[in-house]
Structures are given as C-alpha cells and as structure tokens.
C-alpha cells in the first residue's frame, strides 16, 4: 500500500526528489535532511508500513542486511569509525514520521553517545515480575 498523504511514501516512490544513495525494488535509501552527521541515511521501504510491528516479513528480512551494506559503504566512503542503526517506533520512542524507516548514522571516535541511558535497578522481585509479564505476552 502506498499512501499519497505520507511524505516517505512519496519520497520512496520518487514523487518527491531526494538525495538517493541506493535504490532497489523494495527500498530507497536517502540522506536525512537533518543529519546527526553528514551522510546520515534513511532506509525507506517503497511500501507503506507504519512501524516495525506492521512490517512485512520479507521487507524486514532485507532491512538489516541493507543497513549493514550502507554502514560498510559509509566506513569506506566517509572514513567513519562506526555507524548506528537506529529505528524508532511510536511517538514516545522518538518516531516523527509514521512510515517505517531505519536510520544509518556514520559515527566518529570523538562523537557523543547517540543512544544513551542511565542504568536503573529493580526492586526485590520486580525483575521476575516484569519478565513474567513479557513471557505471558509472548505466548
Ligand atoms: P524519526 O524521528 O521518525 O525516527 O526520523 C524521521 C527523520 O526523517 C528525521 O531525522 C528527519 O530529519 C527526517 N525527515 C523528515 N522529513 C524529511 C524529508 O522530507 N526529507 C528528508 N530527507 N528527511 C526527512
Ligand atoms: Zn508511507
């Protein structure tokens, strides 16, 4: 399904021009207009999926290898020391465009941490209770 009201459907299918760095029958990979570092790319499926929970299995299976390929190309072409694959799902998680996309971000040794948190702790028994809730949801 391609949604004419979705900006990433329009970009992925060529209706809006973009700085495309890679394209195949399933994906278009473009440069993000607000890059964390120059070369920051977005892997966009040509079909519309709101987020990872809606993703077609075939598209999902191709997305991670493509992220690896783009990241390897960044190391070669840009000389970055590493790269982040970042994928946000839901507003609370930082998703602002509700068409599945994966960020590929070139990273350099001196860069600040991109995804960081302060490690918390569990109260007595809390970890087991949380694990049990998740196991139940996964059955
Ligand atoms: P999210 O926060 O949803 O994971 O990421 C959305 C990303 O899309 C942001 O990094 C934002 O800069 C980028 N973006 C939003 N609209 C456009 C656009 O029209 N063109 C390009 N190239 N990037 C966009
Ligand atoms: Zn879309």
């Amino acid at each position: 399904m391609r949604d004419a009201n979705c900006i990433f459907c329009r970009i992925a299918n060529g209706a809006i021009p973009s700085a495309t760095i890679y394209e195949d029958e399933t994906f278009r990979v473009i440069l993000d207009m607000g890059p964390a570092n120059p070369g920051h790319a977005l892997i966009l499926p040509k079909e519309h999926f709101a987020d990872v929970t809606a993703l077609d299995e075939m598209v999902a299976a191709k997305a991670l290898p493509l992220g690896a390929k783009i990241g390897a190309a960044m190391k070669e072409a840009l000389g970055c020391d590493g790269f982040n694959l970042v994928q946000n799902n839901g507003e609370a998680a930082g998703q602002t465009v509700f068409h599945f996309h994966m960020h590929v971000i070139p990273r350099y040794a001196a860069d600040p941490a991109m995804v960081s948190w302060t490690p918390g702790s569990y109260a007595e028994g809390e970890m087991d209770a949380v694990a049990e809730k998740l196991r139940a949801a996964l059955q």
Side-chain angles (χ1 to χ4, degrees):
M1 191 220 314
R2 290 163 193 188
D3 178 349
N5 296 317
C6 170
I7 180 90
F8 280 2
C9 277
R10 297 176 70 196
I11 292 174
N13 292 284
I16 295 178
S18 61
T20 296
I21 61 169
Y22 174 87
E23 184 179 5
D24 62 23
E25 61 185 13
T26 311
F27 299 100
R28 181 186 294 269
V29 183
I30 66 166
L31 294 188
D32 192 303
M33 70 181 186
N37 273 327
H40 178 164
L42 299 172
I43 295 176
L44 310 179
K46 291 183 174 177
E47 295 293 314
H48 181 88
F49 306 100
D51 64 21
V52 75
T53 66
L55 204 53
D56 174 273
E57 276 190 19
M58 181 275 290
V59 177
K62 290 178 172 176
L64 198 56
L66 181 54
K69 179 185 173 100
I70 301 294
M74 285 174 173
K75 289 179 77 171
E76 184 185 325
L78 305 177
C80 57
D81 301 308
F83 59 94
N84 288 113
L85 297 178
V86 179
Q87 201 279 304
N88 299 324
N89 299 284
E91 205 173 337
Q95 187 177 11
T96 58
V97 180
F98 294 86
H99 173 124
F100 172 91
H101 52 281
M102 186 152 65
H103 298 256
V104 190
I105 305 173
R107 301 304 306 277
Y108 299 87
D111 284 348
M114 183 70 65
V115 180
S116 68
W117 61 89
T118 306
S121 59
Y122 288 108
E124 180 76 27
E126 189 184 2
M127 187 188 252
D128 286 343
V130 172
E132 184 48 40
K133 266 194 205 171
L134 291 172
R135 278 193 293 270
L138 285 163
Q139 275 179 358

